[in-house]
Amino acid sequence: MTGGWESDAQTAWRQQPELGSPSVVTEGDISTVTFYWRDPTGTELTSPIRRVWIYITGVTDHHQQRAPQSLQRISGTDIWQWQIRLNAGWRGSYCFIPSRNENDFSAAALQNPPDRMALREGWRKLLPQAIADPLNPLTSWRGGRGHPVSALHLPQAPAQPGWSDKAAFTAPRCLTWQSKRLGNQRRVWLFTTGESEPERRPLAILLDGQFWAEQMPIWSALQAETDRGHLPPAVYLLPDVIDTQHRSEELTCNAEFWLAVQEELMPMLSEQTLWRDDPATTVIAGQSFGGLSALYAALHWPQRFGCALSQSGSFWWPHRQRTGEEGRLAQQLKQGELDASPLSIYLEAGLREPVVLHANQHIYPLLQNAQSLHYRLFDGGHDALCWRGGLINGLVTLWQPVRALSGVIDGTE
């Protein structure tokens, strides 16, 4: 490490308290991103920190067969930094994991290429120690594994309408669904964005409701896009998954769960509010296992759920470890057991989630006879920061006929 390089890095660092971290320099379609972390225990002479692992969804995580990456200390300072070049259209979440160990990963995770499962296990053990970037001015949240993460939007990343707005909205109601069929109970959030003609409002069921209600609240974004006329006034129902075990059981092609939704949850909803009870405007939306479950529900009960919004759908299920073997939904579609023709479908997947991307690319051609089919790729990983924009975009796309009938579309959109 040269003295000149250290001087340049320290000069750049002095600007960070004002500019925020990370630093982004974009030339053409490529951004050079520099991450900084300041060691609260001082320099290498006083600090026990030996590594500051950087976990970037879809870039340095287990989805990529790449050795674990650590920030490097600038000698004689409390500053750690790490740099990477990314496409300027990338968006994603990240966190730091300071560690007192020189190496927290097994030999299998460090070989070239790393063993994916060993890498996954190493990160799983480390993530409980993760911290959000204290210099990042954007709001942090807790990712899918419960660890804090920070947001990074590169300059050419797709717009995410509604998410930067602070729209006034009526607070959602939190109900309790006691299911006899499933033998459990959970919270369910009910949110509406218009009362003038309640019987004309379409319905969207947003799976992983606890995430969109609490960890990354969606209410203001939905209201802002409704106020702009991009979304029609609507009813949103957000069921909690209870916990990880219930999620992996209920959101993986589980008929009992969806029968309970139809026999118990929908009647409960009818006691609370009015909506347009029409499969052509009823959306099931979900991510990962939720994306799998959304398409599963629409394919099996098109007379009830006519629209599926699947983001990073886990269509590999149940064969994650069996390369070359089709997931269950793909097998059933190929064999003619399921028919997509009555449905409107919106699929999206990230370019940096290889297993999910491959499964989505495989199932997409099998859905070509759908009434309408939209497929979108984004430069990102298995990441709610990407999904939040696609969720709004998907609802806008699937409900465009509703807006047209309501006279919302003005010909310029």
Side-chain angles (χ1 to χ4, degrees):
M1 187 181 296
T2 66
W5 186 90
E6 289 180 13
S7 177
D8 291 343
Q10 292 182 56
T11 298
W13 164 258
R14 282 194 289 269
Q15 300 174 2
Q16 292 313 112
E18 296 180 5
L19 299 179
S21 176
S23 166
V24 178
V25 177
T26 301
E27 296 182 3
D29 294 330
I30 300 296
S31 291
T32 301
V33 184
T34 308
F35 296 85
Y36 295 96
W37 182 71
R38 191 165 208 164
D39 190 338
T41 55
T43 72
E44 65 267 36
L45 299 178
T46 59
S47 172
I49 301 300
R50 294 294 174 262
R51 293 282 192 178
V52 181
W53 303 108
I54 181 166
Y55 185 89
I56 309 175
T57 305
V59 178
T60 68
D61 62 4
H62 65 276
H63 289 287
Q64 307 298 325
Q65 284 190 289
R66 180 181 184 182
Q69 300 294 305
S70 170
L71 280 68
Q72 300 297 312
R73 183 189 291 275
I74 301 174
S75 180
T77 76
D78 58 1
I79 304 166
W80 293 71
Q81 70 89 42
W82 185 77
Q83 192 173 87
I84 190 172
R85 288 164 61 84
L86 293 165
N87 291 331
W90 180 87
R91 165 182 283 117
S93 60
Y94 69 97
C95 60
F96 299 142
I97 310 174
S99 174
R100 298 186 179 203
N101 300 318
E102 186 67 28
N103 198 353
D104 294 287
F105 292 86
S106 67
L110 299 174
Q111 66 188 19
N112 189 18
D115 177 81
R116 191 184 297 275
M117 294 310 296
L119 201 58
R120 184 187 184 97
E121 179 63 14
W123 285 121
R124 185 191 67 79
K125 291 180 179 179
L126 281 171
L127 283 173
Q129 307 170 40
I131 60 171
D133 184 349
L135 288 175
N136 190 318
L138 300 178
T139 302
S140 62
W141 71 99
R142 290 195 174 273
R145 296 177 182 271
H147 60 284
V149 292
S150 295
L152 177 57
H153 310 268
L154 293 189
Q156 296 172 23
Q160 294 191 324
W163 283 98
S164 60
D165 295 282
K166 300 296 181 184
F169 59 86
T170 301
R173 285 180 279 166
C174 187
L175 312 174
T176 298
W177 172 23
Q178 180 77 46
S179 174
K180 292 183 179 179
R181 177 180 280 275
L182 300 174
N184 55 41
Q185 75 172 36
R186 74 193 72 210
R187 298 171 299 169
V188 181
W189 289 266
L190 172 60
F191 182 63
T192 59
T193 54
E195 298 296 336
S196 60
E197 295 180 290
E199 71 283 353
R200 298 184 64 181
R201 299 177 300 194
L203 169 67
I205 298 177
L206 309 186
L207 301 175
D208 281 298
Q210 76 295 334
F211 181 83
W212 300 111
E214 297 179 334
Q215 292 169 253
M216 191 175 282
I218 195 173
W219 322 122
S220 180
L222 291 174
Q223 188 64 61
E225 288 304 283
T226 304
D227 293 344
R228 289 194 178 98
H230 297 159
L231 288 171
V235 174
Y236 300 91
L237 198 61
L238 289 73
D240 194 343
V241 295
I242 303 179
D243 54 34
T244 301
Q245 180 178 346
H246 281 87
R247 185 177 189 270
S248 63
E249 294 172 354
E250 294 180 345
L251 298 189
T252 49
C253 301
N254 187 319
E256 286 296 300
F257 175 76
W258 286 107
L259 288 172
V261 168
Q262 295 171 79
E263 296 171 2
E264 299 173 352
L265 184 58
M266 304 294 279
M268 188 177 88
L269 176 63
S270 68
E271 297 174 357
Q272 301 292 327
T273 193
L274 293 174
W275 78 94
R276 181 179 176 180
D277 194 1
D278 181 352
T281 60
T282 300
V283 177
I284 305 294
Q287 301 78 35
S288 194
F289 274 160
L292 167 71
S293 192
L295 185 58
Y296 169 83
L299 285 168
H300 283 79
W301 294 278
Q303 74 281 3
R304 195 70 193 84
F305 313 115
C307 303
L309 199 173
S310 173
Q311 299 179 273
S312 301
S314 300
F315 299 125
W316 50 262
W317 185 87
H319 306 305
R320 181 193 289 272
Q321 302 307 322
R322 303 182 196 174
T323 56
E325 189 162 356
E326 295 174 328
R328 181 170 300 174
L329 279 188
Q331 290 176 348
Q332 293 178 315
L333 284 163
K334 184 172 286 188
Q335 294 166 8
E337 299 174 21
L338 299 174
D339 180 14
S341 61
L343 304 177
S344 296
I345 301 171
Y346 185 98
L347 298 179
E348 72 169 14
L351 296 174
R352 297 174 184 266
E353 45 178 356
V355 174
V356 164
L357 177 60
H358 175 79
N360 275 262
Q361 289 174 328
H362 188 78
I363 205 169
Y364 170 67
L366 304 176
L367 301 170
Q368 292 298 316
N369 67 329
Q371 182 175 331
S372 67
L373 177 61
H374 307 269
Y375 185 38
R376 173 178 174 265
L377 299 176
F378 58 86
D379 191 354
H382 206 68
D383 199 330
L385 190 65
C386 300
W387 296 333
R388 70 178 197 173
L391 182 52
I392 301 294
N393 292 338
L395 290 170
V396 168
T397 300
L398 293 171
W399 280 341
Q400 186 168 337
V402 179
R403 294 160 56 235
L405 289 173
S406 302
V408 174
I409 298 178
D410 62 9
T412 63
E413 298 181 12

